[in-house]
Amino acid sequence: MNIAKRKGLISQAEYAKYLRPYLPKAAFEPNTSRLWLLWINVSILVMGWGMASQLDRWSPSLLWLFLPIAVVMGNSVIVLLFSSHDLMHSKALKTPLVRQLTTLLGMTMLWMPPSLWKALHNRTHHNKTNSLGDPDRNYLQSHPNNFGKWIQNLFAPSHNVNPLWTAIGMGYAWGIYTFRNLVSVLFYNDGTNSFAVAAFRVTEKERRAIAGELLAIVATHVGIMAFLSFDPLKLALGYFLPIWIGYAGCLFYIYTNHMLCRMTEVNDPLINSVSLRVPKILDVLHLNFSYHTEHHVFPGVNSDYYPQVQALLLEHFPGRFNLLPAMTAWRMMLTTPRHYKDEMTFTNWTGEQSVRCPLSEVAEG
């Protein structure tokens, strides 16, 4: 039976097999431009830190002029995550050592060891998307109340979160996400810890690599702060502000990728993922990251071809595809609770509310 006419959940593998003949061979070839983008944005950050190191010589009345520079640096943090994300899904870097060093460079500002990202994102999240085994989903209301669940309840956009905490969380939630998963695999690598959304395991070889990469990341950040003389003004404008801006930009996408969707036992990316409509300039700057469902259908495809994948999804699976304007998705986040009561229902911390997942009835927005 043609899966385009089938009811019920359809697996990622079935979508990929069905749609692949419609895409050109070039869509599946490595895109080395992501490597150049990574280096360009590392260079932007280095130049920004160079300027920040001189801020003690600026007149206080002119310090506001550094704010646009901090915004550009923050965007570079976003691009480093998204370019590293693309590189780690592709075969553009074939030499293992070069791949490890390059992705470590790209993920350092995110405090994310690439070996952890490979296990957490590529291996676990992509194979268990929005299921009980996905470490990136919402917490269950039945999950034990602990610091991880409490922080998501405090920070994640929802109908009952304080807007001030959401604003603060935009700058900090990524760091908490990384910390939660780092502690999980480094200290509780038995798949049973209770503060992770969904515990997962890594091999001992991966665990050693994660620990080594984390030490390199810590050393790099300490080096950046030392270069800025540990000066509060330089650190505030040249280090913390760009990081907060970058993390907030990443989280605007990440919060809406899956957290509005129902849970699925079958990894059906058209049901458990969301793609956003954003201004074209953002797709250019952020490597088409708004095309998130398309990425989950073809994780290794060149992201330049995501618009073509989207066109195919709309043609062959009309009415099944969660495609929303970015601000519509954000408003939906702010008008629903953030814990799963069951696979189709959101609830709050106490479990007193029941709100059907707004995208449980699939429709193209």
Side-chain angles (χ1 to χ4, degrees):
M1 180 180 178
N2 186 333
I3 66 168
K5 298 179 180 179
R6 203 168 85 198
K7 301 295 183 181
L9 297 175
I10 300 170
S11 72
Q12 176 270 332
E14 290 178 286
Y15 285 119
K17 181 178 179 180
Y18 179 83
L19 294 174
R20 182 165 183 138
Y22 295 98
L23 290 169
K25 182 180 178 181
F28 300 92
E29 294 175 354
N31 186 353
T32 56
S33 69
R34 300 315 183 230
L35 179 59
W36 293 108
L37 279 172
L38 188 152
W39 280 105
I40 288 169
N41 283 278
V42 167
S43 299
I44 289 172
L45 288 172
V46 170
M47 288 187 289
W49 294 321
M51 297 180 68
S53 70
Q54 304 298 314
L55 284 174
D56 55 343
R57 302 181 183 180
W58 289 33
S59 167
S61 63
L62 296 178
L63 288 175
W64 67 271
L65 292 173
F66 192 82
L67 296 181
I69 298 170
V71 171
V72 173
M73 293 173 71
N75 184 70
S76 289
V77 173
I78 299 172
V79 177
L80 285 178
L81 174 61
F82 293 168
S83 58
S84 299
H85 169 265
D86 281 11
L87 285 169
M88 293 186 73
H89 274 295
S90 77
K91 298 179 180 179
L93 300 173
K94 296 181 180 180
T95 304
L97 181 60
V98 173
R99 183 182 182 88
Q100 183 178 23
L101 293 176
T102 301
T103 53
L104 177 60
L105 180 67
M107 300 295 274
T108 287
M109 294 310 297
L110 285 302
W111 288 87
M112 176 62 73
S115 294
L116 174 61
W117 183 257
K118 182 179 178 181
L120 170 64
H121 179 82
N122 291 34
R123 186 167 72 218
T124 308
H125 170 62
H126 267 275
N127 288 313
K128 301 179 179 180
T129 308
N130 237 38
S131 70
L132 284 173
D134 184 6
D136 287 1
R137 60 166 168 78
N138 295 307
Y139 278 93
L140 305 177
Q141 194 278 327
S142 60
H143 195 102
N145 292 339
N146 51 48
F147 86 90
K149 182 179 176 183
W150 178 79
I151 288 174
Q152 179 184 291
N153 189 68
L154 182 69
F155 281 166
S158 74
H159 79 301
N160 54 9
V161 73
N162 187 307
L164 175 62
W165 284 118
T166 297
I168 293 172
M170 294 298 285
Y172 285 96
W174 174 268
I176 294 164
Y177 166 79
T178 303
F179 174 78
R180 185 179 72 207
N181 287 293
L182 273 170
V183 172
S184 177
V185 299
L186 291 178
F187 298 101
Y188 301 93
N189 191 34
D190 57 3
T192 60
N193 78 77
S194 64
F195 56 80
V197 173
F200 64 99
R201 299 182 183 183
V202 297
T203 67
E204 282 304 309
K205 180 179 179 181
E206 289 172 325
R207 196 178 182 194
R208 290 192 296 271
I210 291 167
E213 291 162 2
L214 179 59
L215 289 175
I217 289 171
V218 171
T220 301
H221 280 267
V222 172
I224 294 167
M225 290 188 281
F227 177 73
L228 297 175
S229 307
F230 297 102
D231 181 272
L233 175 64
K234 297 175 184 178
L235 290 176
L237 294 180
Y239 177 78
F240 288 108
L241 183 57
I243 287 176
W244 289 335
I245 292 170
Y247 288 5
C250 292
L251 280 169
F252 185 86
Y253 289 102
I254 291 168
Y255 273 141
T256 58
N257 286 166
H258 308 285
M259 294 176 76
L260 279 169
C261 300
R262 54 170 285 195
M263 294 173 64
T264 58
E265 293 182 5
V266 175
N267 184 11
D268 185 330
L270 268 68
I271 305 300
N272 62 31
S273 306
V274 171
S275 287
L276 302 176
R277 289 194 181 106
V278 300
K280 182 64 178 176
I281 184 62
L282 292 182
D283 279 334
V284 172
L285 287 173
H286 300 153
L287 316 183
N288 285 334
F289 197 79
S290 67
Y291 292 80
H292 201 71
T293 300
E294 296 80 355
H295 168 63
H296 271 264
V297 174
F298 290 109
V301 82
N302 181 340
S303 59
D304 290 345
Y305 288 84
Y306 286 166
Q308 192 168 337
V309 176
Q310 183 175 109
L312 289 171
L313 292 173
L314 291 172
E315 177 185 354
H316 293 274
F317 301 95
R320 190 180 179 89
F321 182 22
N322 295 319
L323 176 60
L324 302 170
M327 294 314 299
T328 298
W330 191 250
R331 284 193 295 270
M332 293 172 85
M333 294 286 295
L334 294 175
T335 55
T336 52
R338 254 329 41 85
H339 301 290
Y340 284 121
K341 187 172 187 176
D342 56 48
E343 67 175 21
M344 301 286 284
T345 310
F346 290 141
T347 189
N348 60 348
W349 176 270
T350 61
E352 296 171 349
Q353 299 171 319
S354 293
V355 178
R356 189 175 177 85
C357 296
L359 303 179
S360 58
E361 299 297 333
V362 294
E364 192 268 315

